[in-house]
Amino acid sequence: MSAKHVYFFGGKTAEDTGLDAKGQKELLGGKGANLAEMCRIGIPVPPGFTITTEVCAAYYEQGKKIPEAAVPAIEEALKKVEAAFGGRKLGDPADPLLVSVRSGAALSMPGMMNTILNLGLTDASVEGLAKKTGNPRFAYDSYRRLIDMFGSTAMGCEHEKFEHEIHEMKKAKGVKLDTDLSADDLKELVTRYKAVYKAHVMDDFPQDPKKQLFLAVNAVFNSWNGNKAIEYRRIERITGLRGTAVNVQAMVFGNMGGTSGTGVAFTRDPNTGENVFYGDYLINAQGEDVVAGIRTPEPIAKLHEDMPKVYEQLVGIRSTLEKHYKEMQDIEFTVQEGVLYMLQTRSGKRTGTAAVRIAVEMVKEGLIDETTAVKRVAPDSLNHLLQPQLDPKSKVEVVAQGIAASPGGASGIVLLSAEAVVAHAEKNPNDSIMLVRKETSPEDVAGMHLAKGILTSTGGKASHAAVVARGWGKPCVVGCEAMKINEEAQTITIAGKTVKAGEFLTINGTTGDVMIGKVPTVAPSMTGDFATLMTWADKGRKLKIRTNADAPADAAKAREFGAEGIGLCRTEHMFFGKDRIAAVREMILATSTDDRKKALAKIEPFQKADFVGIFEAMDGYPVTIRLLDPPLHEFLPQKDNVEGTEDVARQMGVPVSAIRERVDELHEMNPMMGFRGCRLPVVFPEIGDMQVRAIIEAAIEVKKKGKSVLPEIMIPLVGVVEELTMLKKRAIATAEECMTKAGIKVEYQIGTMIELPRAALTADEIAAEAEFFSFGTNDLTQMTFGFSRDDIKGFMPTYLKEKILPVDPFQSIDVKGVGKLIDMGIKLGRESRKAKHGQHLKVGICGEHGGDPDSVVFCHKVGMDYVSCSPFRVPIARLAAAQAALGDTARDK
Ligand code: ADP
Ligand code: MG
Ligand code: MG
C-alpha cells in the first residue's frame, strides 16, 4: 500500500509518488498520472487531485466503503485545489468552485466509466455562479447537467428521463438546439430535473457539496464493476488491475459563450498515421458534447480561424507532448473565455495501419529507436493491414458519403441495434453483419465487436463508434447524415433508396463511401512501412515462423508475408477436391486390400501433383506434411442424409445399400477419439504407403528441377511410441524404394505430432523415434480438458463470464495445464533425443494458437524452434515472436 491515498496536482507541480512511469500509472491511473505529468512539464491544467487505485481496491475489500484514512486526505487535498484556483470554496454560495469527478484506471477504457461535471452546484451556489459570471444561462445549464450526470451516474436514474424533459422543453419552446433555450427555460428545466431525480432516488438532490463529492467518488468506484466496464475488460482481455483511480479536478467551462469551447484531438491521424493534427471541437459546449455525436463538430484546423491564439498554443502543446511522451497522443482540451486548459492526454488508440506508420516515422524522426518501434505495435493490430480491402474494380454505386472513421472495407447485412447483432450472431456465427445506428454508446460494445462494420448517421472522428472501431481495426463510417434510420419499420433510407434490415450494405472506412449491396474484397499485400517494421522485427526474434497451408497459392501468399516454411500441410483437404472425392470413396468402400490399393493408385497422382506445387512454392524451406488424419466417414454422406447417399451411390455405380452399410459400419459415437490419425495407417498400411510415396516422388521431381526440398513427414495422433515405430519403419522402406527407383536421394525427416496427453507424458520414448515434434494444440487442448472443441458453445461463454477460465483455451494456450504438458514434452523429448542420437529435437506448434500473440510468447519461453499459423497471421506471429524475444509485450499502446 502506498503511503498516501491522495496526490495533488496543479500549477507547475504535482506531488511525487516516487514511482517510475509504470508504477505511477498503476497507482494514479493513466488519466491521473498524465494530468500530473502535464503539470510538471508546464502545460496548463486545472488543479486537482487523484485518489489512488489502491483506495479503490480497499473500497471493495471493505464492502464498498471509502477507507477511513482516505477521508481527511481528500478534504485536505480539496483545500489545496481551492487555494490553487483563486481561493474559491467548493460550492460556495457566493462564488463557488466546481469540480469534475473522473475515473481513470491504469489502462484506458474509453467511455466505459462515468464522469460527473459541475459538482458543487446547489440551489444556492447556482445563484452565486450566475451573479459572479453574469451569465445565468450558463449557470442553470451547468446545474441541470450536474443533476443529470450525478443522477444517472451516482444514483442510477435513467438518463433518458432527463433527456425526455429537455426534449419536451425544446418542443414547447419551438427550438431545435439546447443552446437556443433561455436562462429561464433552463431554470425551469432544473426544477423538472430535480423532480425526476426525486422520483427515482426518493430523496432530494443533495444540497451539501461535500456530500455530492463523496457520493460521486463512490459512484466512480462502483462503475469499476459496472456491466460496461466488465464487458470491456473481457473483450480486451484486461486482467490484474486493482481498480480505478478518481480524479477530482477544478472545472473549467467551454460553455460560457462564443469565446469558449471544447475539443478532442490526436497529435497524428489515428486512421492513417499521417503526421497531421487531427481532431474536432465545438464552440460553446461542455465535456462529452464533442464525442457524444449529438452535434457534428468542426475540424481542428478551423480553430485557426475561430481562435487563432489558442490554436497556436495548442499546436505548441501538440509538439511538446509528442516530444515528451515520444508517442502519438490523444488529447482533450477546453477553452474558457479565451484561456486554454488541457484536460487529458494519453497514448492515442489507432488503427494497425496508423500504428505501423507512426512507429516507423517516429524512428525516422529520431524520436524512438527500432526496438521501441517493434515493441510498440500490438501484433493483433496488424490484422488491420491484413484485412481485405474492397475490390477497386467493383462497380457498385456509392450512394452516400460519411466520415471515414476506421479504414478497411466491409459488407454485411444491416441490423439496427447491438442487441440484434448479438442475437443474430449467436444463431448465425458466419454471417457478416453491418451495425447501423444513429450513434453508438458504451452499451453497444458487445454488438459492435461482433459486427463486420459499423455505420452511424451522426458523430465525428472522435465519436464513440469511431474510437472503438479503430481500436479493434474494424471498418467504420460515421456522420453519414444522408442516411435516415427508421427503427419502427426496421429500414434505413439513403439517397432515396430503402434498405431493409437483413439486406446487404457495404462501407469503405478508408474513404467514407457507403454502398447498397455486397462488394467483393481483395487480399492485402505487405509493402512500405509495414515491410520496414517487419524487417526490424526479424532482427529481434528467435522463433522461426512457418505457415499452415494446403495449397500452393496459400503457401506462396504466406511466403510473401515472410513464412519460413510450412508447419502443417493437411493432406485430407486435398481429398475433398471434386475430381478426387470419388476415388477416395472408392478406397473407403473397398472390401479387400487389393481393391483399396487400386483406388489409392487413382488418388496418388493428385497428391503428388499437389506436393510438387507446394514444394516449389516453398523452395529452400522445410515443408511438414501430415498424413491423413480425420476418420474415414467424414468423406461419406452422413447417416441420415438420404439424398446424399443416393447421389453417391449413383456416381459410384453401386447400390444404395452398399453405401448405407459402410456408413453404418464406420459410424462412431465419438469421432474425435475414434478411428483416426495414425490409427488409420496402422490398420490400413497401404494408405500411409501411398502418401509417403507421393511425398517422396514429388520431392524427387522438384529436386530434379534444381530446387531445394526439405520434406518432413508427420504422423498424427501418436499416443504410444510403438505406433510410431511401426509406421516409421514402413515409411522409410517406402521412401528408400522410391529413391532407389529414381536413382536420386532427398533429405527427409519423420516426426510426429504431440497432441495427446499420453504423447506428452511419454515424450522421451517418442523422441527416440521422432526427428521432430509438432504440438497440435487444438487436439491437445481438447484431449487435456476433455472439451470437444466443436461443442463448447453451451458452456464456454459462462465459463468465461464466471471467470472459471480466464480465456478460451482454444484461442490462447492454457499455460497452466496444456502449457505444462508442452513444457514437459519438450524437455523430455529434447533430453532423450540428445542422449540417444546426439541430435537437437526440432520442436514447433501447428494449432490455431500459432497465430495468437500470447501463445507465441509462451512458445518462445518454452524454447520452441518455430510456430506455424495461417498465412494471414504470419506477420502477427513475426511481430509477437520479436516482442517475446525483446522481453516486452507492450499491450498498452
Ligand atoms: P473519459 O474517461 O470518458 O474520457 P473524462 O474524465 O475525460 O472521461 O471526462 C469526460 C469529459 O469531461 C472530458 O473530456 C472533458 O471534456 C470534461 N471534463 C472533465 N473534467 C473537466 C474539468 N475539470 N473541466 C472541464 N471539463 C471537464
Ligand atoms: Mg467517461
Ligand atoms: Mg477523457
Side-chain angles (χ1 to χ4, degrees):
M1 190 90 185
S2 154
K4 284 165 61 70
H5 294 89
V6 178
Y7 289 84
F8 170 81
F9 58 84
K12 293 203 156 96
T13 59
E15 273 183 284
D16 193 6
T17 58
L19 299 169
D20 63 3
K22 185 162 170 275
Q24 286 195 47
K25 242 177 142 185
E26 277 169 14
L27 186 66
L28 304 178
K31 196 179 289 166
N34 286 335
L35 285 169
E37 195 67 12
M38 281 199 287
C39 287
R40 286 188 199 110
I41 60 174
I43 289 174
V45 173
F49 59 86
T50 304
I51 308 171
T52 70
T53 56
E54 284 178 354
V55 175
C56 182
Y59 173 85
Y60 279 105
E61 273 157 29
Q62 298 176 13
K64 295 204 178 184
K65 209 175 146 288
I66 298 177
E68 246 160 58
V71 175
I74 291 171
E75 284 177 345
E76 195 187 312
L78 179 62
K79 285 204 186 102
K80 276 196 207 163
V81 175
E82 289 170 340
F85 212 52
R88 287 171 300 148
K89 301 261 171 300
L90 178 71
D92 184 335
D95 182 11
L97 169 78
L98 304 183
V99 295
S100 64
V101 177
R102 324 169 62 185
S103 63
L107 286 167
S108 128
M109 300 166 63
M112 290 298 122
M113 310 251 282
N114 303 305
T115 297
I116 298 172
L117 302 179
N118 309 334
L119 190 135
L121 280 175
T122 59
D123 292 352
S125 66
V126 72
E127 300 293 347
L129 186 66
K131 233 177 256 143
K132 199 75 197 176
T133 57
N135 191 343
R137 198 200 165 278
F138 153 73
Y140 288 106
D141 187 44
S142 302
Y143 194 21
R144 67 110 193 148
R145 285 171 190 256
L146 169 65
I147 300 165
D148 178 351
M149 282 185 271
F150 185 90
S152 50
T153 299
M155 307 316 265
C157 306
E158 275 173 63
H159 170 63
E160 281 66 34
K161 294 242 163 83
F162 296 112
E163 280 292 287
H164 175 75
E165 294 298 337
I166 192 167
H167 233 88
E168 289 297 303
M169 178 67 92
K170 282 192 284 190
K171 216 159 75 188
K173 300 286 163 186
V175 299
K176 264 184 87 178
L177 299 174
D178 297 8
T179 40
D180 294 334
L181 292 172
S182 72
D184 284 337
D185 297 340
L186 290 163
K187 192 170 179 179
E188 166 61 22
L189 209 51
V190 163
T191 311
R192 295 197 197 168
Y193 273 27
K194 281 198 291 188
V196 169
Y197 180 95
K198 190 166 184 180
H200 178 87
V201 183
M202 314 289 282
D203 198 359
D204 285 320
F205 180 74
Q207 295 297 321
D208 172 4
K210 285 246 176 82
K211 186 171 171 202
Q212 288 179 4
L213 177 62
F214 280 98
L215 283 172
V217 171
N218 273 305
V220 173
F221 284 154
N222 289 340
S223 73
W224 175 249
N225 276 335
N227 290 339
K228 287 187 278 182
I230 289 174
E231 184 77 349
Y232 189 84
R233 289 200 290 272
R234 185 183 68 73
I235 292 172
E236 294 285 315
R237 292 196 201 166
I238 297 172
T239 54
L241 296 188
R242 276 175 288 191
T244 178
V246 185
N247 301 291
V248 177
Q249 187 179 27
M251 280 300 299
V252 289
F253 299 97
N255 53 338
M256 284 185 75
T259 57
S260 301
T262 182
V264 295
F266 292 85
T267 55
R268 302 189 186 212
D269 185 330
N271 278 318
T272 62
E274 194 187 347
N275 192 355
V276 290
F277 203 13
Y278 180 100
D280 296 315
Y281 71 98
L282 276 174
I283 294 287
N284 197 13
Q286 187 178 49
E288 312 259 64
D289 291 358
V290 181
V291 291
I294 297 162
R295 269 160 72 189
T296 302
E298 301 287 349
I300 199 84
K302 198 166 165 277
L303 191 63
H304 184 53
E305 293 163 31
D306 283 346
M307 301 180 181
K309 266 214 170 116
V310 167
Y311 183 75
E312 282 313 307
Q313 195 187 353
L314 203 55
V315 167
I317 289 173
R318 169 189 176 218
S319 123
T320 306
L321 285 174
E322 276 214 348
K323 290 212 178 86
H324 181 74
Y325 287 103
K326 303 185 190 314
E327 240 304 27
M328 187 265 261
Q329 298 292 299
D330 166 357
I331 60 178
E332 298 176 2
F333 63 90
T334 283
V335 183
Q336 177 176 333
E337 300 186 304
V339 183
L340 173 68
Y341 295 93
M342 299 304 293
L343 291 172
Q344 190 169 341
T345 188
R346 63 182 169 212
S347 295
K349 285 211 192 278
R350 66 207 75 178
T351 64
T353 310
V356 169
R357 176 163 178 184
I358 290 169
V360 171
E361 288 191 350
M362 283 193 167
V363 171
K364 292 183 182 154
E365 290 160 26
L367 278 176
I368 57 173
D369 60 15
E370 289 179 10
T371 309
T372 308
V374 168
K375 282 186 182 180
R376 194 171 270 180
V377 178
D380 262 329
S381 75
L382 295 182
N383 238 331
H384 194 251
L385 291 97
L386 300 164
Q387 286 298 317
Q389 303 292 319
L390 294 182
D391 185 350
K393 291 197 294 283
S394 84
K395 293 215 171 51
V396 178
E397 184 201 351
V398 174
V399 290
Q401 224 183 11
I403 298 166
S406 177
S411 285
I413 56 167
V414 169
L415 291 177
L416 299 180
S417 75
E419 298 82 60
V421 174
V422 173
H424 185 94
E426 216 159 71
K427 288 201 207 92
N428 315 279
N430 297 322
D431 279 6
S432 298
I433 302 170
M434 182 70 59
L435 175 62
V436 179
R437 309 241 341 125
K438 185 161 177 285
E439 68 208 30
T440 64
S441 74
E443 278 83 13
D444 296 335
V445 289
M448 295 168 77
H449 194 61
L450 291 167
K452 265 266 147 49
I454 298 163
L455 173 64
T456 70
S457 57
T458 62
K461 294 172 209 116
S463 63
H464 180 262
V467 172
V468 172
R470 214 175 286 135
W472 288 333
K474 208 174 276 278
C476 176
V477 172
V478 298
C480 179
E481 289 174 352
M483 173 177 75
K484 297 278 165 295
I485 301 174
N486 186 342
E487 296 243 8
E488 231 161 73
Q490 285 287 297
T491 58
I492 54 176
T493 40
I494 318 173
K497 298 196 176 105
T498 302
V499 181
K500 291 198 204 89
E503 292 178 348
F504 269 92
L505 196 72
T506 297
I507 57 168
N508 184 344
T510 318
T511 59
D513 291 347
V514 179
M515 290 141 275
I516 294 175
K518 200 170 169 177
V519 175
T521 50
V522 292
S525 66
M526 198 161 76
T527 50
D529 293 334
F530 189 12
T532 306
L533 186 78
M534 282 296 126
T535 59
W536 294 343
D538 288 349
K539 287 186 205 163
R541 77 183 150 90
K542 300 216 165 54
L543 279 171
K544 295 254 182 244
I545 311 298
R546 296 197 192 181
T547 192
N548 302 346
D550 316 326
D554 294 341
K557 190 82 216 167
R559 217 176 146 157
E560 194 186 300
F561 284 147
E564 301 161 292
I566 289 183
L568 176 64
C569 172
R570 302 174 171 94
T571 50
E572 58 269 20
H573 288 188
M574 305 168 169
F575 278 36
F576 280 106
K578 256 213 217 93
D579 40 0
R580 12 196 128 166
I581 185 79
V584 173
R585 287 177 176 149
E586 203 179 308
M587 183 265 289
I588 296 169
L589 293 176
T591 45
S592 72
T593 310
D594 269 353
D595 285 353
R596 198 155 32 245
K597 280 189 180 162
K598 263 186 224 146
L600 283 165
K602 291 188 196 163
I603 307 169
E604 195 169 325
F606 290 119
Q607 286 248 286
K608 187 175 153 188
D610 287 334
F611 295 143
V612 167
I614 286 176
F615 289 147
E616 284 183 341
M618 277 291 152
D619 182 13
Y621 287 127
V623 176
T624 308
I625 296 169
R626 178 178 72 183
L627 300 188
L628 188 63
D629 185 53
L632 295 181
H633 57 72
E634 280 196 9
F635 300 97
L636 292 180
Q638 294 206 343
K639 219 173 138 101
D640 44 11
N641 181 354
V642 179
E643 245 171 71
T645 310
E646 282 168 2
D647 277 353
V648 170
R650 203 172 321 116
Q651 281 156 19
M652 315 236 358
V654 297
V656 174
S657 60
I659 309 275
R660 207 170 282 149
E661 257 167 47
R662 191 69 180 129
V663 169
D664 275 346
E665 263 167 32
L666 290 174
H667 177 74
E668 293 181 330
M669 297 305 288
N670 195 346
M672 284 293 189
M673 299 169 86
F675 188 7
R676 54 173 283 224
C678 68
R679 297 157 204 171
L680 290 166
V682 164
V683 177
F684 304 121
E686 53 282 3
I687 298 180
D689 294 350
M690 180 281 283
Q691 293 202 291
V692 171
R693 216 164 30 239
I695 293 168
I696 299 296
E697 282 182 2
I700 290 170
E701 192 174 316
V702 175
K703 190 174 177 184
K704 275 192 189 153
K705 291 185 194 163
K707 301 204 168 171
S708 141
V709 272
L710 299 159
E712 298 174 345
I713 299 169
M714 180 155 80
I715 298 174
L717 218 72
V718 164
V720 231
V721 67
E722 282 76 9
E723 292 168 323
L724 184 59
T725 314
M726 168 183 167
L727 294 171
K728 185 179 149 195
K729 203 163 136 204
R730 199 142 171 139
I732 291 174
T734 306
E736 288 302 323
E737 201 184 299
C738 296
M739 293 189 293
T740 313
K741 209 166 93 196
I744 186 172
K745 282 223 166 292
V746 288
E747 296 293 321
Y748 68 96
Q749 293 191 341
I750 299 179
T752 184
M753 285 182 82
I754 303 291
E755 49 188 337
L756 295 174
R758 194 181 189 283
L761 294 167
T762 60
D764 46 348
E765 288 187 9
I766 293 175
E769 292 290 333
E771 286 173 283
F772 62 87
F773 278 0
S774 177
F775 284 88
T777 47
N778 297 344
D779 263 313
L780 190 59
T781 300
Q782 164 165 272
M783 303 295 187
T784 302
F785 276 94
F787 293 163
S788 160
R789 93 175 104 120
D790 297 318
D791 302 308
I792 58 172
K793 242 187 12 239
F795 60 90
M796 191 55 73
T798 309
Y799 269 50
L800 297 176
K801 203 165 132 229
E802 297 294 331
K803 298 204 173 80
I804 289 172
L805 289 172
V807 286
D808 177 348
F810 291 102
Q811 275 168 23
S812 195
I813 284 183
D814 157 51
V815 172
K816 268 193 198 157
V818 176
K820 196 187 259 180
L821 282 172
I822 294 174
D823 190 30
M824 179 173 71
I826 295 175
K827 289 203 174 99
L828 287 175
R830 287 241 170 99
E831 272 167 29
S832 147
R833 190 83 201 162
K834 183 117 243 155
K836 297 214 173 71
H837 301 273
Q839 283 171 353
H840 170 78
L841 177 76
K842 189 164 48 182
V843 177
I845 182 177
C846 63
E848 290 306 307
H849 299 96
D852 167 64
D854 290 344
S855 306
V856 172
V857 172
F858 169 81
C859 294
H860 170 87
K861 281 194 189 138
V862 293
M864 286 195 189
D865 296 288
Y866 70 87
V867 299
S868 187
C869 57
S870 62
F872 286 98
R873 301 218 46 107
V874 166
I876 294 170
R878 280 165 80 187
L879 186 55
Q883 293 183 351
L886 296 169
D888 203 345
T889 51
R891 84 164 301 158
D892 182 29
K893 290 175 282 173

